[in-house]
Amino acid sequence: MKRSNTANLVLLGAPIGDLIFCAKFISSLRSKISDLLSRLHQIGPKDPQINSPSLVAEALSFFYSDIRRCFTECTSVDVSEIAWHQAQLSPSRGGLGLRSLYHHSSACFIASISQSGIALGENHHLEQSIDDLNHIIGESEAISVQDILDAPPHQRNLSSKIEDHQLRMLFDLASSPAQRARLLSVSSPHASAWLSVMPTLQLILHLEPPEFQVALK
């Protein structure tokens, strides 16, 4: 992320700042994609242009490394590999919601393409993404092309399979009963509700930086 000396900046593709800055950003984005929009009608309904997420897997892994570095710089918390795997889980499973694009891209692609109806018939992009997803979630939760055709899934359902597998892996890697008890505690209902609370001094709903760092750990 580029450093900014003003209150206006672009974070993960979204403008943050005053009305004029945000309006200019959207106008600039609109002009850049106008040519693409004008050519979309040239793509026939029987010839969809799609690419498997596996083609950009390496780029996604590099991007997620940037996210991890940004997290470390913003919080001054240098987490271990196991802790970072936990951070990738949703808050309801004891994580921070920092999902890995690399791991969830196949789930996103499968849900998108199946819900659109493009999955009908042979589609090697879909088959590749299903193989990638099954490699992540394991044989016991594996899905097939026929499963997708019979009942097109939503991404949240496929991503839940990924997170459930990650949580089971964390329990398997736990080195002591205390570690497993901690995972059970942070993944219990409402245990991570504090992450979504709006910091408010008047209501004493805020944490000092050192307190926040300890809570993250």
PDB file of all heavy atoms in Angstrom, residues 40 48 77 95 117-118 120 126 135 145 149 186 190 193:
ATOM      1  N   LEU A  40     -18.444  -6.328 -24.365  1.00  0.00           N
ATOM      2  CA  LEU A  40     -19.002  -7.518 -23.733  1.00  0.00           C
ATOM      3  C   LEU A  40     -20.060  -8.194 -24.595  1.00  0.00           C
ATOM      4  O   LEU A  40     -20.200  -9.417 -24.571  1.00  0.00           O
ATOM      5  CB  LEU A  40     -19.619  -7.153 -22.373  1.00  0.00           C
ATOM      6  CG  LEU A  40     -18.630  -6.978 -21.209  1.00  0.00           C
ATOM      7  CD1 LEU A  40     -19.378  -6.577 -19.951  1.00  0.00           C
ATOM      8  CD2 LEU A  40     -17.840  -8.250 -20.970  1.00  0.00           C
ATOM      9  N   PRO A  48     -18.630 -18.627 -23.326  1.00  0.00           N
ATOM     10  CA  PRO A  48     -18.200 -17.804 -22.197  1.00  0.00           C
ATOM     11  C   PRO A  48     -16.680 -17.802 -22.044  1.00  0.00           C
ATOM     12  O   PRO A  48     -16.028 -18.823 -22.224  1.00  0.00           O
ATOM     13  CB  PRO A  48     -18.868 -18.486 -20.997  1.00  0.00           C
ATOM     14  CG  PRO A  48     -19.035 -19.906 -21.431  1.00  0.00           C
ATOM     15  CD  PRO A  48     -19.311 -19.857 -22.903  1.00  0.00           C
ATOM     16  N   VAL A  77       2.260  -7.198  15.663  1.00  0.00           N
ATOM     17  CA  VAL A  77       2.148  -8.570  16.145  1.00  0.00           C
ATOM     18  C   VAL A  77       2.669  -9.498  15.063  1.00  0.00           C
ATOM     19  O   VAL A  77       2.095  -9.587  13.982  1.00  0.00           O
ATOM     20  CB  VAL A  77       0.691  -8.939  16.494  1.00  0.00           C
ATOM     21  CG1 VAL A  77       0.595 -10.412  16.891  1.00  0.00           C
ATOM     22  CG2 VAL A  77       0.167  -8.045  17.604  1.00  0.00           C
ATOM     23  N   GLY A  95     -11.160 -17.092  14.448  1.00  0.00           N
ATOM     24  CA  GLY A  95     -10.154 -16.403  13.655  1.00  0.00           C
ATOM     25  C   GLY A  95     -10.400 -14.907  13.566  1.00  0.00           C
ATOM     26  O   GLY A  95     -11.233 -14.357  14.296  1.00  0.00           O
ATOM     27  N   GLY A 117     -24.989 -21.116 -14.399  1.00  0.00           N
ATOM     28  CA  GLY A 117     -25.456 -22.085 -15.367  1.00  0.00           C
ATOM     29  C   GLY A 117     -24.414 -22.478 -16.391  1.00  0.00           C
ATOM     30  O   GLY A 117     -24.640 -23.340 -17.234  1.00  0.00           O
ATOM     31  N   ILE A 118     -23.231 -21.855 -16.334  1.00  0.00           N
ATOM     32  CA  ILE A 118     -22.178 -22.161 -17.290  1.00  0.00           C
ATOM     33  C   ILE A 118     -21.636 -23.567 -17.062  1.00  0.00           C
ATOM     34  O   ILE A 118     -21.048 -24.179 -17.947  1.00  0.00           O
ATOM     35  CB  ILE A 118     -21.030 -21.129 -17.175  1.00  0.00           C
ATOM     36  CG1 ILE A 118     -21.558 -19.732 -17.499  1.00  0.00           C
ATOM     37  CG2 ILE A 118     -19.879 -21.465 -18.108  1.00  0.00           C
ATOM     38  CD1 ILE A 118     -20.527 -18.634 -17.333  1.00  0.00           C
ATOM     39  N   LEU A 120     -23.030 -26.320 -16.994  1.00  0.00           N
ATOM     40  CA  LEU A 120     -23.691 -27.392 -17.728  1.00  0.00           C
ATOM     41  C   LEU A 120     -22.759 -27.945 -18.801  1.00  0.00           C
ATOM     42  O   LEU A 120     -22.127 -27.194 -19.539  1.00  0.00           O
ATOM     43  CB  LEU A 120     -24.986 -26.868 -18.370  1.00  0.00           C
ATOM     44  CG  LEU A 120     -26.053 -26.375 -17.378  1.00  0.00           C
ATOM     45  CD1 LEU A 120     -27.241 -25.809 -18.130  1.00  0.00           C
ATOM     46  CD2 LEU A 120     -26.491 -27.512 -16.469  1.00  0.00           C
ATOM     47  N   LEU A 126     -13.982 -25.924 -14.399  1.00  0.00           N
ATOM     48  CA  LEU A 126     -14.740 -26.342 -13.224  1.00  0.00           C
ATOM     49  C   LEU A 126     -14.133 -27.597 -12.617  1.00  0.00           C
ATOM     50  O   LEU A 126     -13.977 -27.694 -11.384  1.00  0.00           O
ATOM     51  CB  LEU A 126     -16.199 -26.590 -13.604  1.00  0.00           C
ATOM     52  CG  LEU A 126     -17.114 -27.107 -12.490  1.00  0.00           C
ATOM     53  CD1 LEU A 126     -17.216 -26.089 -11.367  1.00  0.00           C
ATOM     54  CD2 LEU A 126     -18.498 -27.442 -13.041  1.00  0.00           C
ATOM     55  N   HIS A 135      -8.618 -31.110  -2.789  1.00  0.00           N
ATOM     56  CA  HIS A 135      -7.264 -31.248  -2.238  1.00  0.00           C
ATOM     57  C   HIS A 135      -7.155 -30.508  -0.906  1.00  0.00           C
ATOM     58  O   HIS A 135      -6.406 -30.934  -0.008  1.00  0.00           O
ATOM     59  CB  HIS A 135      -6.248 -30.698  -3.233  1.00  0.00           C
ATOM     60  CG  HIS A 135      -4.829 -30.774  -2.752  1.00  0.00           C
ATOM     61  ND1 HIS A 135      -4.135 -31.955  -2.656  1.00  0.00           N
ATOM     62  CD2 HIS A 135      -3.976 -29.793  -2.314  1.00  0.00           C
ATOM     63  CE1 HIS A 135      -2.920 -31.715  -2.181  1.00  0.00           C
ATOM     64  NE2 HIS A 135      -2.804 -30.410  -1.973  1.00  0.00           N
ATOM     65  N   VAL A 145     -18.382 -33.168  -9.791  1.00  0.00           N
ATOM     66  CA  VAL A 145     -19.055 -32.336 -10.779  1.00  0.00           C
ATOM     67  C   VAL A 145     -20.554 -32.592 -10.738  1.00  0.00           C
ATOM     68  O   VAL A 145     -21.364 -31.653 -10.832  1.00  0.00           O
ATOM     69  CB  VAL A 145     -18.509 -32.619 -12.196  1.00  0.00           C
ATOM     70  CG1 VAL A 145     -19.328 -31.876 -13.245  1.00  0.00           C
ATOM     71  CG2 VAL A 145     -17.044 -32.221 -12.294  1.00  0.00           C
ATOM     72  N   LEU A 149     -23.760 -30.010 -10.375  1.00  0.00           N
ATOM     73  CA  LEU A 149     -24.847 -29.926 -11.344  1.00  0.00           C
ATOM     74  C   LEU A 149     -26.200 -30.185 -10.694  1.00  0.00           C
ATOM     75  O   LEU A 149     -27.202 -29.550 -11.040  1.00  0.00           O
ATOM     76  CB  LEU A 149     -24.610 -30.927 -12.478  1.00  0.00           C
ATOM     77  CG  LEU A 149     -23.357 -30.708 -13.332  1.00  0.00           C
ATOM     78  CD1 LEU A 149     -23.231 -31.801 -14.376  1.00  0.00           C
ATOM     79  CD2 LEU A 149     -23.390 -29.338 -14.006  1.00  0.00           C
ATOM     80  N   VAL A 186     -12.143 -19.860  21.975  1.00  0.00           N
ATOM     81  CA  VAL A 186     -12.233 -18.739  21.033  1.00  0.00           C
ATOM     82  C   VAL A 186     -13.208 -19.020  19.890  1.00  0.00           C
ATOM     83  O   VAL A 186     -13.651 -18.084  19.208  1.00  0.00           O
ATOM     84  CB  VAL A 186     -10.849 -18.383  20.450  1.00  0.00           C
ATOM     85  CG1 VAL A 186      -9.909 -17.925  21.553  1.00  0.00           C
ATOM     86  CG2 VAL A 186     -10.249 -19.566  19.683  1.00  0.00           C
ATOM     87  N   HIS A 190     -20.157 -16.230  20.136  1.00  0.00           N
ATOM     88  CA  HIS A 190     -19.967 -14.848  20.594  1.00  0.00           C
ATOM     89  C   HIS A 190     -18.594 -14.572  21.212  1.00  0.00           C
ATOM     90  O   HIS A 190     -18.351 -13.467  21.706  1.00  0.00           O
ATOM     91  CB  HIS A 190     -21.047 -14.454  21.616  1.00  0.00           C
ATOM     92  CG  HIS A 190     -22.446 -14.768  21.182  1.00  0.00           C
ATOM     93  ND1 HIS A 190     -23.009 -14.204  20.049  1.00  0.00           N
ATOM     94  CD2 HIS A 190     -23.388 -15.605  21.699  1.00  0.00           C
ATOM     95  CE1 HIS A 190     -24.237 -14.671  19.895  1.00  0.00           C
ATOM     96  NE2 HIS A 190     -24.493 -15.530  20.878  1.00  0.00           N
ATOM     97  N   ALA A 193     -17.022 -11.660  19.411  1.00  0.00           N
ATOM     98  CA  ALA A 193     -17.901 -10.517  19.167  1.00  0.00           C
ATOM     99  C   ALA A 193     -17.172  -9.189  19.348  1.00  0.00           C
ATOM    100  O   ALA A 193     -17.514  -8.195  18.703  1.00  0.00           O
ATOM    101  CB  ALA A 193     -19.118 -10.585  20.087  1.00  0.00           C
TER     102      ALA A 193
END
